[in-house]
Amino acid sequence: MKNIKIKDKEFELFIEAEKIENSIDRVADRINVDLKDKNPLFIVVLNGAFMFAADLLKKIVIPCEITFVRLASYQGTESMESVQEILGLTESVENRTVVIVEDIIDTGNTLTTLIEELKKQHPREIKIATLFLKPGALKYNLHPDYVAMELPSDFIVGYGLDYDGYGRNLTDIYKLKN
Ligand code: 5GP
Ligand code: MG
């Protein structure tokens, strides 16, 4: 098993890039069918979702717009309860089908806040596409429409996800060693 060290922590190889790509392809196929005539606006949540968004959106073949927002609830390896405001959303979401593109849903705190903020702008509907879902950690009543992979509650890095700013560039997913 391949191990890596990031700053003070040891991580072990958990999910290889090819497996991630296959699960993203399945999500893209479904979105292409479901949202065919809906002219969706994809809202990518930075920073973590950048790699997922790039790979997902290359496979989207229907007319769509793509924008990016910034919103963070994590520092180090523990989820914080407070979430900041949405930054960077200049497009109008009024009466649009919006697809939030997230890297990972852990407690669901971040996404719940984002959804509440977006609802104030009266979108027609809000869909959620997440690369990873940790069902065991979920504290909010969220039902993501598109989940590439479900994971146990371990802390992971790679493929856009960081540990203290590092590891986002890794093509595979690594999990924290206990
Ligand atoms: P939540 O608000 O759902 O508890 O946490 C969501 C955010 O926390 C994600 O968008 C992501 O940035 C971060 N996060 C949650 N779990 C992990 C993890 O296992 N690894 C990393 N690197 N970030 C995570
Ligand atoms: Mg995120």
Side-chain angles (χ1 to χ4, degrees):
M1 188 59 79
K2 199 176 148 203
N3 291 331
I4 56 166
K5 190 161 192 210
I6 302 177
K7 294 188 129 179
D8 57 324
K9 302 237 188 289
E10 295 267 356
F11 292 84
E12 64 185 10
L13 184 60
F14 185 37
I15 308 165
E16 291 187 51
E18 199 190 327
K19 208 175 160 195
I20 302 169
E21 280 158 30
N22 291 337
S23 57
I24 293 173
D25 288 353
R26 286 196 293 272
V27 167
D29 290 345
R30 286 178 50 212
I31 292 177
N32 283 325
V33 173
D34 291 354
L35 306 183
K36 188 168 177 282
D37 300 309
K38 295 198 161 180
N39 183 31
L41 171 64
F42 288 92
I43 300 183
V44 180
V45 186
L46 296 174
N47 296 327
F50 81 96
M51 221 179 257
F52 170 46
D55 284 345
L56 175 72
L57 294 165
K58 280 187 273 183
K59 303 279 168 53
I60 298 298
V61 295
I62 59 174
C64 63
E65 288 184 279
I66 302 165
T67 191
F68 301 85
V69 298
R70 194 175 264 272
L71 188 81
S73 74
Y74 237 75
Q75 267 177 1
T77 59
E78 277 181 61
S79 189
M80 301 196 312
E81 280 301 311
S82 68
V83 181
Q84 297 140 17
E85 58 180 323
I86 308 173
L87 301 176
L89 187 64
T90 49
E91 291 76 5
S92 167
V93 304
E94 195 173 331
N95 216 20
R96 293 289 300 264
T97 293
V98 165
V99 185
I100 299 173
V101 181
E102 253 290 22
D103 51 358
I104 186 164
I105 302 173
D106 187 20
T107 64
N109 182 33
T110 312
L111 204 52
T112 301
T113 310
L114 179 58
I115 289 168
E116 277 166 17
E117 287 298 311
L118 283 175
K119 276 186 177 163
K120 292 179 189 165
Q121 300 185 38
H122 310 293
R124 179 182 301 147
E125 58 182 342
I126 300 176
K127 304 274 184 195
I128 301 163
T130 187
L131 175 58
F132 298 121
L133 172 69
K134 293 180 180 172
L138 203 56
K139 287 197 217 150
Y140 293 78
N141 186 27
L142 277 176
H143 303 280
D145 303 87
Y146 306 101
V147 178
M149 294 177 111
E150 292 198 357
L151 299 184
S153 300
D154 312 84
F155 184 80
I156 57 168
V157 294
Y159 202 79
L161 291 129
D162 71 307
Y163 166 55
D164 218 5
Y166 288 84
R168 294 191 197 277
N169 51 315
L170 298 164
T171 50
D172 304 304
I173 292 288
Y174 292 77
K175 74 173 176 187
L176 186 63
K177 285 185 81 168
N178 307 302

